[in-house]
Amino acid sequence: MEKRGVCQFLLDHATRAPISFHMPGHKGEAIYRGNGYGRFLDQMMDCDITEIPGADNLFQTEGIIKETMERYAKLYEAKESYLLINGSSAGLIAAILTCAPAGGEIIMARNCHKSIFNGVSLAGAEPVYAYPQLIADYGISGEITADEITRCLSEHPGSSAVILPSPNYYGVCSDIKAIAQLVHDAGKILIVDQAHGAHLKFFDSYIEGRTKAAENLGADIVIDSVHKTLASYTQSAIVNLCSDKVDKYEFEDKLQLIESTSPSYLLMASLDINADLLERKGKDLIWQWEENLQYFYRRAAEIEGLRVMDHPLLDHTKINLDMSACGIDGLHLEELLMKQGIFVELVTGNIVMCMTGIGNKRYDFDRLLSALREIASNRQITINSAPAKQPLTQKKLAQKPLPRQKERIKLKEAAGRVCASSIIPYPPGIPIICPGEIIDQEILNYVRELREKGEKVIGIDDQDRVVVGKERV
Ligand SMILES: Cc1ncc(COP(=O)(O)O)c(C=O)c1O
């Protein structure tokens, strides 16, 4: 195969003028150039500096970085906001290290992102799993209900905190208001992984009837991947502390433990630019986005053979498409869209998730609509579509204490052994099996199927081995 390297790949990709329905949310340079930041793009190399005098310090903020943090605190009405240059992953890990003492229990959604599993493991805490609902019709994880949190809290009264994603990768939110009430009544801390919902605060502010942002609903710590849906660069994110329940000095201490000591000024500048865009043009940008979404959903409903997911708790900026009625599964649909220059975020079973962002233009939605129309018109609609597969993150597996002694064995021989290192389909980055869970044949079959389809599965080495506990169950 011809060797290209990262740089050449990116240049080749950009030359195709692709339509992006994946992260990041800025979708290219237009949103910067069109809003007064062309000079920043032109001088990007010169702006890539370090902590020279006057440039402040991310871990002892007194000047320009503090100003940007204060802008975010104001935008999100938070007590404190912190800039992250290692993604939401860093904020999530720092939040867990702050709230979950070693050996103590933390209640976490079983469909959490792998960074949360990593945080719990680094903290030396014991995970207690809250299981999400299943959206059976589409075969994907849904909300974490308040009842499920009640169950976990009553079975594990000694736990210190609750952490869950809202929205999840498919855009399904949980009832954060009800959950916050329960968590606070039990004297614990609620951490919301809002990596996929940095924009929600602004939809809540500008569009009547929207109340989905965890910052507005009583969460104590909220982590937002600004890069995923808003206008900053990949890997830039923020943490909002929204109550006095968390010791901010303790949190700051944990954050500096895990973030790079050479924070990128380009990432921080892009967070600053994003804050400026939201302050100056937030209402217009959010309304354009909303109108484009309404335009898309109305027209997509007319395409025979296409199902677009609707759900009362859905953040509709995530568009979940299903063309199984035309006999097209998710991977095939992704391929057909790619042939038309459209790149999506995620495929699960029959679902293709298109992740819209603040930078998407009407033209992008039109291109997606015409591609879908063409795909549908080339296919016969079949009565019995392929049934959606239940994601295995739903599966309640038997659990054992985390293995102390570990070994690597062939994946195909791992049934019945205790998992010692997560196996993670990526995306969505949610472990299919976590340390302490007992691997079974169904898991092995599922992983084999994913790999046969060419999907990425992390946690299996180049000799097809996985890490398990040495001791047999
Ligand atoms: C649900 C969820 N939480 C957290 C993260 C981590 O966010 P980041 O990429 O900003 O580190 C991701 C990444 O995709 C995610 O999907």
Side-chain angles (χ1 to χ4, degrees):
M1 210 168 71
E2 182 207 352
K3 281 214 171 96
R4 282 200 291 170
V6 178
C7 178
Q8 193 57 48
F9 173 85
L10 294 178
L11 292 172
D12 291 349
H13 182 68
T15 305
R16 295 175 64 189
I19 303 292
S20 163
F21 283 109
H22 55 76
M23 301 177 225
H26 57 63
K27 314 292 176 183
E29 64 173 17
I31 192 165
Y32 279 29
R33 290 213 184 272
N35 289 294
Y37 285 101
R39 194 174 144 224
F40 173 74
L41 294 178
D42 295 340
Q43 291 200 277
M44 196 131 77
M45 285 300 280
D46 304 324
C47 295
D48 187 16
I49 59 160
T50 186
E51 288 95 344
I52 55 173
D56 207 356
N57 185 309
L58 181 61
F59 302 111
Q60 180 82 45
T61 56
E62 287 159 358
I64 55 168
I65 300 175
K66 188 166 196 236
E67 279 170 34
T68 306
M69 284 166 42
E70 286 171 355
R71 292 174 99 166
Y72 273 101
K74 204 160 165 208
L75 279 164
Y76 283 87
E77 297 174 276
K79 292 206 176 296
E80 302 284 341
S81 293
Y82 296 89
L83 309 190
L84 300 170
I85 43 80
N86 292 93
S88 281
S89 303
L92 289 161
I93 294 172
I96 294 163
L97 292 174
T98 307
C99 301
E105 288 181 329
I106 179 166
I107 297 170
M108 61 180 281
R110 177 59 182 81
N111 61 330
C112 275
H113 183 254
K114 76 175 186 134
S115 54
I116 294 176
F117 287 89
N118 292 344
V120 172
S121 158
L122 285 173
E126 290 294 325
V128 169
Y129 295 130
Y131 288 87
Q133 297 281 290
L134 170 70
I135 302 183
D137 230 17
Y138 290 90
I140 59 172
S141 306
E143 68 180 301
I144 301 283
T145 62
D147 284 351
E148 178 64 355
I149 297 298
T150 303
R151 176 190 71 76
C152 294
L153 287 168
S154 68
E155 288 175 10
H156 299 272
S159 54
S160 58
V162 173
I163 182 163
L164 75 160
S166 182
N168 66 16
Y169 214 138
Y170 307 96
V172 183
C173 298
S174 291
D175 184 350
I176 296 300
K177 192 172 178 189
I179 291 172
Q181 182 77 52
L182 291 167
V183 172
H184 293 155
D185 287 351
K188 307 186 194 305
I189 292 168
L190 178 61
I191 307 167
V192 176
D193 170 6
Q194 200 170 250
H196 285 276
H199 55 287
L200 291 178
K201 175 75 186 169
F202 309 99
F203 277 80
D204 283 12
S205 299
Y206 299 128
I207 298 172
E208 234 184 272
R210 298 283 160 81
T211 44
K212 289 197 165 75
E215 285 92 350
N216 291 340
L217 296 170
D220 300 299
I221 310 181
V222 184
I223 299 97
D224 295 276
S225 287
V226 178
H227 69 95
K228 290 194 200 297
T229 52
L230 294 174
S232 63
Y233 290 170
T234 296
Q235 235 174 278
S236 60
I238 56 164
V239 173
N240 289 321
L241 298 189
C242 302
S243 77
D244 294 323
K245 292 199 171 64
V246 184
D247 180 341
K248 75 173 193 143
Y249 300 104
E250 183 73 19
F251 177 75
E252 288 169 12
D253 202 39
K254 296 299 190 283
L255 199 51
Q256 63 81 29
L257 263 185
I258 54 166
E259 286 215 291
S260 168
T261 52
S262 304
S264 160
Y265 274 81
L266 296 180
L267 295 189
M268 293 189 281
S270 76
L271 282 167
D272 194 46
I273 292 170
N274 176 70
D276 183 52
L277 294 181
L278 289 168
E279 286 163 1
R280 281 194 296 127
K281 306 230 167 145
K283 193 169 181 184
D284 288 350
L285 289 166
I286 296 295
W287 262 107
Q288 276 165 26
W289 191 356
E290 171 66 14
E291 278 169 9
N292 286 337
L293 287 164
Q294 287 180 15
Y295 171 88
F296 174 84
Y297 279 103
R298 266 198 313 275
R299 280 157 185 77
E302 292 159 5
I303 301 175
E304 243 185 295
L306 170 68
R307 251 192 344 159
V308 186
M309 190 171 107
D310 192 16
H311 187 279
L313 293 170
L314 185 69
D315 160 27
H316 66 314
T317 67
K318 301 255 192 307
I319 302 175
N320 292 290
L321 305 171
D322 175 348
M323 290 197 86
S324 56
C326 298
I328 302 173
D329 71 5
L331 282 173
H332 190 188
L333 180 55
E334 178 187 37
E335 199 185 305
L336 294 171
L337 290 172
M338 237 155 48
K339 280 193 182 141
Q340 307 224 25
I342 297 168
F343 291 78
V344 302
E345 173 67 29
L346 167 75
V347 175
T348 302
N350 288 331
I351 293 273
V352 163
M353 191 271 276
C354 295
M355 192 159 161
T356 68
I358 198 164
N360 275 120
K361 294 179 275 318
R362 176 64 61 95
Y363 173 75
D364 304 337
F365 292 92
D366 273 330
R367 283 277 301 271
L368 181 58
L369 283 165
S370 57
L372 292 168
R373 279 189 202 110
E374 191 182 316
I375 293 166
S377 68
N378 287 338
R379 289 292 178 134
Q380 293 274 309
I381 296 172
T382 53
I383 309 293
N384 296 317
S385 56
K389 249 196 152 155
Q390 179 166 327
L392 284 176
T393 44
Q394 301 292 316
K395 201 173 167 187
K396 289 188 189 172
L397 292 155
Q399 266 184 284
K400 291 275 170 195
L402 300 183
R404 293 196 190 286
Q405 302 220 321
K406 303 171 188 176
E407 63 178 336
R408 282 181 184 271
I409 63 165
K410 289 280 183 201
L411 176 68
K412 60 178 193 257
E413 290 157 13
R417 303 290 294 270
V418 181
C419 171
S421 178
S422 300
I423 300 177
I424 312 169
Y426 217 101
I430 298 161
I432 208 86
I433 183 142
C434 313
E437 290 180 333
I438 299 178
I439 302 170
D440 69 13
Q441 195 55 49
E442 192 186 1
I443 296 278
L444 296 183
N445 294 345
Y446 187 74
V447 170
R448 198 191 57 236
E449 261 175 49
L450 289 178
R451 296 175 88 209
E452 278 169 5
K453 283 191 206 158
E455 294 195 31
K456 279 240 168 340
V457 184
I458 297 172
I460 304 164
D461 69 19
D462 55 6
Q463 294 178 42
D464 266 350
R465 295 177 307 177
V466 289
V467 187
V468 296
K470 251 190 178 160
E471 267 181 43
R472 303 223 165 223
V473 186

